[in-house]
Amino acid sequence: MSLNKNNILLVFWVLVSSYINAQNNQNIKKDSITVELLEDVIITATRTKRQLSSLPLPASIVLKKDLEAINAVRLSDILNEQSGLITVPDFGGGEGIQMQGLDAAYTLILIDGVPLIGRSAGTLDLDRITVGNIKQIEIIKGASSSLYGNEALGGVINIITETPKYGINGSLQQRTASFETYDTRADIGYKNDQFSISGFINRYSSGGYDLNNNSVGNTVEPFENYTISSKATYHFSDKTDVFFSGRFFTQQQDYIASESLQGESDINEWNMHSKLTHTFNDKWESSLEFYVTNYRASEFLDDTSNNTRFSEATFNQTMIRPEFRTVYKASEKTSYIAGIGYTYETLDRTYFNEKPQFKAPYVYAQYDGNPLERLNVIIGARFDNHNVYASQFSPKLALRYEISPKLAVKGAVGYGFKAPDFRQLYFNFTNATVGYTVVGYDVVSEVIAQLAAEGQIANQVVPVSTFSSELKPESSLAINIGFDYQPTKTLSLQANLFRNSIDNLIDTRVIANKTNGQNVFSYTNVHEVYTQGVEFSTTWKIIKNLQFSAGYQLLFAKDKAAEKAFDNEQVFARENPSAPSFQLESSDYFGLFNRSRHMANGKLFLHIPKWNINTNIRAVYRSKYGIADSNGNGYLDHYDNFVSGYTIWDLAINKTMYKHYTFGFGIDNLFGFTDAQNISNIAGRIIYGNLTIQF
């Protein structure tokens, strides 16, 4: 039988149908089917424990059992299957997350409530994060700067790591997959009434892959990385706990620019996190937290034709953050939270004129209560004072009203901000091969004066005086309105209308022409953009042990200046370079680059207790999107070339034997979709097998 879509889906459907019939035959002898639904608890949305189903915010949870069911190994594996999220590759091959149409730079990534750093070009590479020791992943959509400050303009993803069970326990897993990909991980933990400690190690490697045989080097070069982490908790008493954790990540990867330019890139990251928590009484609890992290990356290229060092670059970022937080529980349904902290960041990077420092004390407060029996209200705000950019005040309001036990409406409005990063302020880079220059906003006057003195400036496009004021943070007003509907115990429906309006978008612009025919670029606040749309998701427990879930997002992401240009009949296009140009209409404007109008997902999970088998089939659809202006008018319109829409199908099956041994098999990208020209993070069909041993 050939490996095609119809055959594989037919086999899976036969298996599901057989199980349904068997279950129905058993149910004839039963009065009812027992359904157990446990409430998921989420922390990220309010920084206190809340039931997910009662939140007034658009939020979701991915549980450990979901990660195990699909045999995920990296964070990008699971986030791609969540409604309204898509991973997109950056120019360096890393994968960032796009949420509600907002770029990866606008989503804050946390591990156990503290942020990861190392965004060399705005993207935090999700492939750095293994899922082997994850308890759950919490996803909050919409501006969350009222609690988390910078980078939470679009939302927050918090990765909660596992804690050990009582006694000694652990696991080992080995996975082998296509493209010489291997994932090996081990964890061990111990817990008693007073003390718990756990350790985790993961090795992940790949032989890389090449989607274009006509290019030099591979699409993704071979790499190897390791993650080592540990955490411990000690209970001094029933009221006082102390927590420590540490994490270390290292990666080495080949770096090939041409036949004669070859080298390596290295990443080393570590963090340490400690927290002392004391409960004074039933109402008051306080914690003192200290977090420090460092991200160091380096790369070099050697010219093999003459055995010389062609280029090398380093990136060394450090963050230190102490924070004091207090929670007051006025009643069972009313709580207040307040915190004060200080963020210190520094970056030592090649192509910087200086070693900048960011210093930002902050304070925040939040009320979470039920002024009416059916009404939940969250009101919060945060103030960030910064030594470089303008101080930010970030308020948020969220409401949820329970119309009936089955139906609730909810809405949230919040302010988020994204501060100018070090690169946008202090960069000073000239491409040695092509000859263009990129300059940070705060060093424009110094660099332009130097280039002019060297006779490299042919024409000044933007006066240097334009850069005398501060580069403003990007800001967003996010609105989310939706409902939760659960007509039966086995069926739930959610819908959410959203709009993110971003002001002071930081973009690149030409500020000068060089005598070599190239340009000098810098950063400036130029655009106002918005993303808006609707999201739907549903979960249906068809029968016991058989569950279907699905999600859909409709997205419109546009630049207001572009809309105005189209409305004013100022935009033209041509079918081909030799054809005459023609005027475009307002309806011809498609929107921002790299955004799909439609995204959808569907998942069918089947558990067969008699055979100790879990199996599932999953599909993710992304409609067409544009990545470049192909007709030269500077905008993405319907006459440009688009990346065609596609669907990725994944299949997984796991069988447990003797309680402690689980064998897994699966095929990711079942039908082998690739797009060598436009999509670098989809390698093709991946066949894998894994063995997990629990003890």
Side-chain angles (χ1 to χ4, degrees):
M1 182 180 289
S2 61
L3 186 66
N4 62 61
K5 184 182 299 185
N6 293 333
N7 287 336
I8 292 176
L9 295 182
L10 177 61
V11 170
F12 191 84
W13 178 247
V14 168
L15 180 64
V16 171
S17 299
S18 300
Y19 179 76
I20 292 176
N21 290 333
Q23 285 295 108
N24 287 337
N25 290 334
Q26 292 180 14
N27 291 341
I28 294 175
K29 301 177 182 180
K30 298 180 181 180
D31 294 331
S32 63
I33 297 177
T34 302
V35 178
E36 295 182 3
L37 296 176
L38 301 178
E39 290 286 357
D40 296 326
V41 175
I42 189 169
I43 299 172
T44 310
T46 62
R47 287 203 169 185
T48 58
K49 291 183 178 180
R50 282 288 306 267
Q51 289 183 351
L52 175 64
S53 61
S54 69
L55 272 178
L57 305 167
S60 60
I61 292 179
V62 180
L63 299 174
K64 185 180 185 68
K65 65 181 181 65
D66 301 320
L67 300 171
E68 294 174 338
I70 72 167
N71 296 316
V73 292
R74 312 311 280 182
L75 184 60
S76 55
D77 295 339
I78 190 69
L79 293 184
N80 262 325
E81 299 184 1
Q82 309 308 306
S83 300
L85 275 64
I86 188 75
T87 60
V88 293
D90 66 8
F91 70 91
E95 287 192 75
I97 190 70
Q98 189 185 103
M99 181 184 294
Q100 290 187 343
L102 295 175
D103 275 339
Y106 304 126
T107 299
L108 181 64
I109 308 294
L110 310 172
I111 294 184
D112 289 329
V114 289
L116 291 178
I117 61 173
R119 298 174 183 258
S120 60
T123 299
L124 196 147
D125 184 11
L126 301 177
D127 284 340
R128 283 163 47 190
I129 306 171
T130 176
V131 301
N133 64 334
I134 290 179
K135 177 183 178 181
Q136 66 186 41
I137 301 169
E138 302 178 353
I139 302 168
I140 311 299
K141 297 177 181 177
S144 300
S145 292
S146 63
L147 282 178
Y148 295 99
N150 186 32
E151 294 182 358
L153 183 149
V156 176
I157 297 175
N158 190 13
I159 300 149
I160 310 295
T161 58
E162 189 63 271
T163 55
K165 301 175 183 177
Y166 273 91
I168 298 177
N169 47 83
S171 67
L172 299 169
Q173 185 183 88
Q174 174 63 49
R175 167 174 162 142
T176 302
S178 305
F179 307 108
E180 300 178 37
T181 303
Y182 305 98
D183 185 83
T184 305
R185 63 196 192 206
D187 66 88
I188 187 169
Y190 170 76
K191 182 178 182 180
N192 59 30
D193 290 336
Q194 191 172 28
F195 176 71
S196 70
I197 187 170
S198 61
F200 172 81
I201 184 170
N202 173 253
R203 178 188 181 274
Y204 181 61
S205 66
S206 173
Y209 58 86
D210 189 14
L211 298 175
N212 187 354
N213 294 327
N214 298 321
S215 63
V216 176
N218 297 317
T219 305
V220 171
E221 299 294 344
F223 66 86
E224 177 184 38
N225 63 48
Y226 292 85
T227 301
I228 303 172
S229 64
S230 179
K231 67 181 188 179
T233 302
Y234 184 78
H235 302 281
F236 287 101
S237 67
D238 292 339
K239 294 184 176 182
T240 305
D241 298 336
V242 63
F243 164 87
F244 295 98
S245 72
R247 176 178 176 270
F248 175 73
F249 172 85
T250 183
Q251 175 173 289
Q252 293 78 42
Q253 184 172 26
D254 292 344
Y255 181 24
I256 299 176
S258 67
E259 291 183 358
S260 60
L261 297 178
Q262 300 183 13
E264 291 182 1
S265 66
D266 295 277
I267 296 173
N268 290 282
E269 174 194 6
W270 61 265
N271 58 59
M272 297 181 64
H273 180 201
S274 62
K275 183 165 65 173
L276 176 66
T277 302
H278 181 72
T279 302
F280 296 93
N281 51 47
D282 293 340
K283 294 184 179 296
W284 288 96
E285 178 183 287
S286 295
S287 61
L288 179 62
E289 185 176 68
F290 182 80
Y291 176 66
V292 57
T293 182
N294 174 265
Y295 176 90
R296 184 189 300 263
S298 63
E299 62 185 28
F300 69 86
L301 282 173
D302 286 339
D303 190 338
T304 58
S305 64
N306 55 24
N307 294 322
T308 60
R309 180 59 53 90
F310 177 78
S311 67
E312 58 184 326
T314 60
F315 182 104
N316 186 4
Q317 183 180 4
T318 299
M319 171 190 280
I320 301 173
R321 194 190 74 177
E323 181 177 296
F324 177 75
R325 182 164 62 246
T326 294
V327 177
Y328 172 62
K329 298 179 181 179
S331 66
E332 183 180 348
K333 293 187 176 182
T334 302
S335 65
Y336 299 85
I337 184 171
I340 184 170
Y342 181 86
T343 298
Y344 172 83
E345 287 184 79
T346 184
L347 177 60
D348 187 2
R349 183 178 183 180
T350 307
Y351 312 122
F352 273 26
N353 280 16
E354 58 184 276
K355 184 178 179 180
Q357 295 180 348
F358 281 178
K359 302 174 183 179
Y362 60 86
V363 60
Y364 62 86
Q366 177 182 269
Y367 160 81
D368 180 358
N370 288 62
L372 301 175
E373 182 179 355
R374 296 186 178 184
L375 177 65
N376 177 225
V377 178
I378 295 177
I379 303 174
R382 171 169 166 146
F383 180 77
D384 290 79
N385 184 28
H386 203 277
N387 67 314
V388 175
Y389 60 82
S391 299
Q392 298 293 304
F393 177 72
S394 309
K396 188 167 191 174
L397 170 66
L399 307 170
R400 183 181 186 272
Y401 184 75
E402 188 178 284
I403 298 175
S404 72
K406 296 182 178 181
L407 177 64
V409 293
K410 58 186 181 181
V413 57
Y415 175 89
F417 74 95
K418 169 69 172 65
D421 60 34
F422 289 112
R423 169 181 52 96
Q424 293 164 337
L425 294 176
Y426 305 108
F427 209 35
N428 180 8
F429 170 75
T430 297
N431 185 283
T433 304
V434 181
Y436 65 85
T437 297
V438 183
V439 183
Y441 185 93
D442 280 11
V443 296
V444 165
S445 58
E446 177 185 348
V447 175
I448 290 295
Q450 178 183 344
L451 293 175
E454 296 171 355
Q456 296 190 48
I457 300 297
N459 178 46
Q460 188 76 37
V461 177
V462 179
V464 172
S465 59
T466 304
F467 299 87
S468 59
S469 59
E470 292 181 340
L471 184 62
K472 299 177 182 178
E474 298 168 280
S475 62
S476 172
L477 181 65
I479 301 173
N480 287 268
I481 301 173
F483 68 82
D484 297 326
Y485 180 51
Q486 189 171 2
T488 69
K489 290 184 178 180
T490 59
L491 178 65
S492 64
L493 303 167
Q494 296 85 34
N496 182 53
L497 291 165
F498 65 88
R499 181 180 174 94
N500 299 286
S501 301
I502 305 175
D503 292 330
N504 297 318
L505 184 74
I506 298 175
D507 202 356
T508 56
R509 67 184 299 185
V510 176
I511 62 171
N513 307 127
K514 301 181 72 173
T515 54
N516 63 0
Q518 295 297 320
N519 297 316
V520 179
F521 299 88
S522 188
Y523 303 91
T524 186
N525 300 113
V526 290
H527 291 307
E528 295 182 9
V529 304
Y530 66 86
T531 69
Q532 64 182 23
V534 61
E535 298 168 326
F536 297 98
S537 59
T538 182
T539 300
W540 177 29
K541 197 165 187 177
I542 303 173
I543 57 174
K544 186 178 181 181
N545 299 321
L546 180 64
Q547 179 172 292
F548 173 76
S549 62
Y552 168 76
Q553 176 184 268
L554 172 66
L555 173 69
F556 297 91
K558 298 190 175 184
D559 183 332
K560 292 182 179 180
E563 284 187 315
K564 184 176 180 180
F566 276 83
D567 290 341
N568 293 338
E569 301 179 344
Q570 297 172 340
V571 184
F572 296 81
R574 58 184 65 192
E575 297 283 359
N576 57 68
S578 61
S581 62
F582 56 92
Q583 182 179 296
L584 296 181
E585 300 178 357
S586 298
S587 58
D588 290 323
Y589 177 47
F590 187 84
L592 301 180
F593 294 100
N594 205 13
R595 271 79 168 180
S596 294
R597 186 66 45 83
H598 308 280
M599 292 198 304
N601 64 79
K603 312 166 197 174
L604 187 62
F605 289 84
L606 171 65
H607 174 51
I608 308 176
K610 181 179 179 181
W611 300 336
N612 285 328
I613 287 179
N614 287 284
T615 185
N616 57 81
I617 189 165
R618 313 174 318 274
V620 175
Y621 168 73
R622 183 180 186 185
S623 68
K624 71 174 186 177
Y625 59 96
I627 57 175
D629 167 35
S630 58
N631 56 30
N633 58 23
Y635 302 101
L636 180 61
D637 59 70
H638 289 291
Y639 295 93
D640 282 311
N641 297 326
F642 284 78
V643 179
S644 300
Y646 61 88
T647 303
I648 301 294
W649 291 82
D650 297 329
L651 174 69
I653 182 169
N654 296 284
K655 178 175 175 57
T656 301
M657 300 178 64
Y658 307 110
K659 294 184 180 180
H660 300 293
Y661 302 90
T662 301
F663 297 89
F665 170 79
I667 307 175
D668 290 342
N669 195 2
L670 197 58
F671 305 107
F673 169 80
T674 59
D675 185 337
Q677 183 177 356
N678 301 301
I679 306 175
S680 62
N681 63 327
I682 299 179
R685 183 181 297 112
I686 298 174
I687 302 174
Y688 65 84
N690 56 258
L691 169 63
T692 305
I693 303 173
Q694 303 279 349
F695 62 88

